[in-house]
């Protein structure tokens, strides 16, 4: 029997970064907030303390901080003629679980996207003409501008103590920073992280070729830092345990360090852990939601939690699934191109190349999640695409994130996969190799979308989300072009051995990690006919429902999504607060 609970003012589904940021804005105005999070509190667990925090097998290989795939996974098919099958173990991307979500085990890269990204369709039409956008690529503007989001970017970077080097302060290009970045008010809150040997080699070569490399902006704290809310970060220890790990030194900008301790101390804030949302109660005639249906995973009891306002702040796939299972909004149909929920599902297009140098010494274990030198000359629309046959691009970088014993096994091409020769190659090259990489954009395609699987269900009896996805022609051409630019730099470095620089190739493989930068499914825009939520992230079919997260991005850039995601979450918190002044469509 479902128990009905007393009404709350705001109920947020998902206890990650977006929930924490929106709740910060709401509770600052004395608005009551309840967060429902399916995981637990990892703050004082084995994953946050030495020596168990260093357990690579437990946290990385066995995905100890990631969604439980035995309870809920996804199915995949490449096109509409195929039958989808479930991924029994997902490695391609890693949704988080627990208070703080995936932003607890992230690397820390924190970008502001290009100034033109929110108007990406207008940008391409203006520069190249309407015919440059393929008819199967439903590119669209977001309905918001960078100028509107800029103050929220500034706030987030102060809250999370970002380390970096400014490249554009109020339109004036700064030496050593990214000359392509959107304008900002001033320097980053903290100085950049230290350069690694790999970064210095890449930087020197790229500069000799006329490029402008710069340190990646990072939520890894280069010093001791206190944010505007009085929350503190320790100094990074360069321990090489960022991605897939919680930081034991509390030196990585994470919700469980910077947001939830502060929120728990605020009157009117509550977080209920081990609570899995099953759906939303929807009043179709009134165009509003009335609450959230969830199950307590520790007792098995189901509850109905009434609310004045509901915010979906979960992972991309979960936001989309909750709308589809609750029948809020029209599901996307790729044949007619009508409907909106599930539309514009995007990923990222990555590639890399390994370099081996006998006379260079690298210490891969001395690293952070963001010890990376980057260049933006071939990212997004920072170069002329006329006649190239594709849109978008990717950043090229030299990164050194870790040297952990299980997964840090870079060996030259042709090395056997086991045995004496494999062991010898590991010993010879562990301290003498580096890598370059491309992180590329992904534009929407008519056949790339999310829907509910008609066959497979999760542990709660609900349909799994079905990924209808593959790498399409635009992304394959882009990857080939930018990967070749990376290969040119790799060759110029003059390594003893240069591995193959293979561009992304179809089909999409769930067994290989790519990034956790999944976007789309509940996209934002000015037109209810082509978007799920308004520019204020308010659902077109429910005026008291807000959807926040990377699921609202109408395309994916060559950057990590955290920066604009955070800016939108802070703005949405303010928007929800103003909604209470006069409930309406904003």
């Amino acid at each position: 029997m479902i128990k009905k609970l007393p009404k709350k003012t705001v109920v947020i589904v998902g206890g990650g970064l977006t929930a924490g940021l929106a709740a910060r804005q709401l509770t600052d105005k004395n608005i009551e907030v309840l967060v429902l999070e399916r995981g637990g509190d990892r703050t004082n667990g084995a994953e946050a303390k030495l020596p168990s925090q260093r357990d690579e097998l437990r946290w990385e290989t066995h995905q100890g901080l990631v969604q439980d795939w035995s309870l809920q996974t996804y199915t995949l098919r490449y096109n509409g003629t195929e039958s989808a099958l479930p991924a029994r173990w997902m490695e391609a991307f890693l949704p988080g679980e627990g208070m703080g979500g995936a932003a607890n085990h992230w690397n820390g890269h924190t970008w502001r996207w290009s100034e033109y990204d929110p108007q990406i369709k207008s940008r391409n039409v203006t520069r190249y003409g309407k015919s440059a956008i393929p008819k199967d690529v439903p590119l669209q503007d977001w309905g918001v501008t960078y100028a509107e989001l800029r103050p929220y970017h500034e706030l987030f970077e102060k809250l999370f103590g970002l380390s970096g080097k400014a490249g554009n302060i109020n339109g004036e290009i700064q030496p050593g920073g990214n000359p392509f970045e959107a304008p900002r008010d001033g320097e980053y809150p903290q100085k950049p992280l230290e350069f690694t040997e790999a970064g210095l080699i890449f930087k020197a070569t790229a500069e000799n070729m006329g490029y402008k490399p710069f340190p990646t902006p990072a939520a890894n704290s280069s010093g001791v830092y206190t944010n505007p809310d009085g929350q503190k970060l320790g100094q990074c220890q360069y321990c090489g345990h960022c991605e897939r790990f919680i930081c034991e030194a509390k030196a990585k900008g994470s919700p469980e360090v910077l947001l939830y301790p502060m929120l728990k101390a605020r009157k009117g804030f509550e977080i209920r852990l081990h609570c899995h949302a099953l759906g939303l109660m929807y009043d179709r005639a009134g165009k509003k939601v009335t609450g959230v249906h969830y199950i307590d995973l520790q007792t098995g009891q189901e509850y109905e939690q009434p609310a004045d306002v509901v915010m979906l702040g979960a992972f991309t796939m979960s936001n989309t699934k909750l709308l589809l299972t609750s029948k809020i909004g029209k599901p996307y149909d790729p044949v007619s191109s009508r409907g909106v929920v599930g539309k514009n599902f995007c990923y990222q297009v990555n590639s890399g190349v390994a370099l081996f140098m006998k006379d260079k010494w690298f210490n891969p274990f001395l690293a952070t999640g963001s010890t990376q030198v980057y260049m933006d000359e071939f990212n997004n629309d920072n170069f002329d695409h006329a006649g190239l046959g594709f849109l978008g691009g990717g950043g090229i970088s030299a990164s050194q994130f870790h040297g952990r014993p299980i997964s840090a096994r870079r060996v030259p091409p042709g090395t056997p996969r086991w045995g004496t020769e494999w062991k010898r190659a590991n010993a010879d090259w562990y301290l003498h190799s580096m890598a370059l990489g491309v992180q590329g954009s992904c534009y929407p395609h008519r056949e790339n979308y999310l829907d509910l699987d008609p066959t497979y269900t999760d542990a709660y009896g609900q349909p799994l989300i079905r990924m209808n996805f593959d790498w399409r022609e635009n992304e394959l051409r882009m990857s080939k072009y930018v990967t070749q630019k990376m290969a040119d730099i790799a060759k110029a470095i003059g390594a003893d051995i240069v591995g193959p620089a293979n561009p992304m190739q179809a089909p999409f493989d769930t067994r290989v990690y790519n990034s956790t930068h999944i976007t789309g499914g509940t996209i934002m825009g000015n037109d209810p006919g082509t978007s799920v939520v308004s520019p204020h992230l308010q659902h077109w079919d429910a005026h008291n429902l807000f959807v926040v997260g990377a699921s609202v991005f109408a395309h994916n850039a060559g950057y990590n999504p955290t920066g604009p995601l955070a800016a939108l979450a802070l703005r949405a918190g303010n928007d929800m607060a103003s909604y209470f002044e006069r409930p309406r469509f904003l």
Side-chain angles (χ1 to χ4, degrees):
M1 181 177 176
I2 300 174
K3 291 185 178 180
K4 188 171 182 177
L5 300 169
K7 182 185 283 189
K8 292 288 186 177
T9 307
V10 177
V11 174
I12 301 178
V13 177
L17 177 66
T18 53
L21 292 171
R24 176 191 184 271
Q25 304 301 93
L26 288 162
T27 55
D28 187 55
K29 297 174 176 61
N30 298 314
I31 296 173
E32 179 187 52
V33 174
L34 166 65
V35 171
L36 300 175
E37 164 56 42
R38 68 183 175 188
D41 183 352
R42 302 181 180 276
T43 307
N44 297 307
E47 55 271 60
K49 298 178 181 179
L50 293 178
S52 48
Q53 187 269 350
R54 297 286 195 272
D55 191 337
E56 182 185 4
L57 184 66
R58 183 175 180 181
W59 309 122
E60 177 173 3
T61 307
H62 292 165
Q63 298 184 358
L65 302 179
V66 177
Q67 177 174 312
D68 188 340
W69 302 117
S70 69
L71 296 178
Q72 192 174 75
T73 186
Y74 312 115
T75 66
L76 170 68
R77 63 177 182 174
Y78 300 126
N79 59 65
T81 66
E82 298 179 340
S83 295
L85 293 173
R88 298 301 184 186
W89 180 266
M90 175 70 70
E91 182 64 25
F93 53 90
L94 306 173
E97 190 157 295
M99 187 182 73
N104 286 342
H105 69 254
W106 68 319
N107 263 4
H109 310 338
T110 312
W111 300 94
R112 299 190 192 192
W113 285 16
S114 300
E115 187 171 10
Y116 52 76
D117 257 312
Q119 292 85 40
I120 193 67
K121 180 178 181 180
S122 297
R123 164 79 176 202
N124 281 288
V125 169
T126 300
R127 191 172 186 186
Y128 306 112
K130 289 184 179 180
S131 61
I133 301 177
K135 60 183 179 180
D136 282 338
V137 176
L139 206 59
Q140 67 183 59
D141 294 344
W142 294 16
V144 68
T145 65
Y146 168 75
E148 293 173 81
L149 296 179
R150 179 173 170 175
Y152 298 104
H153 278 290
E154 300 285 346
L155 174 58
F156 176 66
E157 291 174 3
K158 290 182 175 71
L159 290 174
F160 271 55
L162 261 60
S163 305
K165 177 70 186 75
N168 180 345
I169 297 179
N170 295 318
E172 185 174 332
I173 302 304
Q174 306 293 308
N178 180 7
F180 297 96
E181 77 172 350
R184 48 187 298 114
D185 291 353
E187 273 294 350
Y188 283 87
Q190 299 196 73
K191 67 179 183 179
L193 296 165
E194 298 292 336
F195 286 90
T196 63
E197 181 69 8
L200 291 171
I201 290 171
F202 173 72
K203 182 174 182 291
T205 303
E207 287 176 342
N208 286 338
M209 297 175 73
Y211 301 128
K212 306 247 187 256
F214 56 92
T216 295
N220 313 94
S221 186
S222 61
V224 176
Y225 181 79
T226 302
N227 80 0
D229 291 335
Q231 306 302 295
K232 299 181 183 297
L233 288 171
Q235 185 171 8
C236 179
Q237 307 297 302
Y238 294 84
C239 73
H241 288 75
C242 278
E243 77 280 10
R244 307 195 189 203
F245 296 84
I246 287 177
C247 179
E248 52 84 16
K250 299 190 184 305
K252 181 172 64 174
S254 307
E256 54 96 18
V257 174
L258 297 174
L259 291 174
Y260 287 99
M262 174 269 297
L263 288 169
K264 286 180 178 181
R266 286 187 171 180
K267 184 180 179 180
F269 177 81
E270 179 188 354
I271 181 167
R272 291 182 195 158
L273 303 173
H274 307 291
C275 294
H276 177 76
L278 297 171
L280 307 180
M281 287 89 76
Y282 180 45
D283 176 359
R284 187 177 303 276
K287 297 194 79 169
K288 65 179 182 178
V289 293
T290 58
V292 180
H293 174 204
Y294 74 91
I295 182 172
D296 184 318
L297 299 179
Q298 294 184 314
T299 66
Q301 177 64 53
E302 293 185 35
Y303 294 96
E304 181 181 308
Q305 177 59 67
D308 292 321
V309 168
V310 173
M311 173 185 140
L312 300 184
F315 188 60
T316 296
M317 325 293 272
S318 299
N319 281 349
T320 305
K321 179 176 180 175
L322 283 165
L323 293 182
L324 289 171
T325 54
S326 304
K327 296 182 172 23
I328 305 175
K330 186 176 181 180
Y332 172 70
D333 174 19
V335 177
S336 65
S337 293
R338 295 176 180 172
V340 289
V341 184
K343 180 182 176 183
N344 285 33
F345 177 59
C346 298
Y347 201 2
Q348 280 187 320
V349 183
N350 298 347
S351 58
V353 59
L355 296 88
F356 302 85
M357 289 166 275
K358 294 178 182 178
D359 62 341
K360 297 292 183 182
W361 288 81
F362 306 93
N363 185 352
F365 204 89
L366 265 179
T368 83
S370 297
T371 35
Q372 178 172 260
V373 178
Y374 212 83
M375 52 173 275
D376 244 358
E377 276 79 356
F378 300 103
N379 208 348
N380 281 9
D381 193 38
N382 295 342
F383 58 103
D384 189 356
H385 288 71
L388 295 180
F390 67 86
L391 298 173
I396 301 174
S397 66
S399 59
Q400 183 173 299
F401 300 150
H402 70 90
R404 297 188 293 270
I406 296 176
S407 54
R409 299 291 182 180
R410 190 182 295 124
V411 292
T415 301
R417 298 184 64 182
W418 62 282
T420 301
E421 290 302 314
W422 177 81
K423 293 177 182 178
R424 182 178 293 115
N426 272 275
D428 288 346
W429 295 109
Y430 179 79
L431 295 174
H432 300 282
S433 68
M434 60 175 282
L436 304 184
V438 170
Q439 180 170 279
S441 62
C442 182
Y443 280 11
H445 189 276
R446 180 177 57 84
E447 294 184 88
N448 287 347
Y449 65 101
L450 301 174
D451 65 355
L452 296 178
D453 192 279
T455 304
Y456 297 97
T457 58
D458 61 21
Y460 313 104
Q462 295 187 312
L464 296 180
I465 276 286
R466 179 170 61 182
M467 298 184 291
N468 301 268
F469 183 82
D470 203 359
W471 307 116
R472 309 299 178 181
E473 192 63 28
N474 183 76
E475 279 56 56
L476 295 176
R477 290 182 179 182
M478 180 277 290
S479 182
K480 182 177 180 181
Y481 180 87
V482 182
T483 300
Q484 183 57 55
K485 298 296 183 182
M486 175 185 66
D488 294 341
I489 298 172
K491 182 178 179 180
I493 287 175
D496 297 300
I497 302 172
V498 178
N502 296 320
M504 183 65 79
Q505 297 179 5
F508 166 53
D509 191 343
T510 62
R511 300 169 300 172
V512 179
Y513 184 74
N514 195 55
S515 77
T516 305
H517 310 152
I518 309 295
T519 66
T522 70
I523 63 175
M524 61 191 295
N526 279 317
D527 181 1
T530 59
S531 59
V532 175
V533 295
S534 75
H536 291 276
L537 309 188
Q538 192 174 20
H539 200 291
W540 291 114
D541 294 321
H543 59 80
N544 66 336
L545 173 62
F546 293 77
V547 185
V548 187
S551 62
V552 306
F553 295 7
H555 73 292
N556 207 351
Y559 303 111
N560 302 54
T562 313
L565 179 152
L568 285 167
L570 288 166
R571 180 173 178 261
N574 284 351
D575 284 339
M576 283 186 278
S578 69
Y579 170 87
F580 285 102
E581 297 173 7
R582 184 164 64 89
R584 68 200 188 285
F585 283 102
L586 299 171

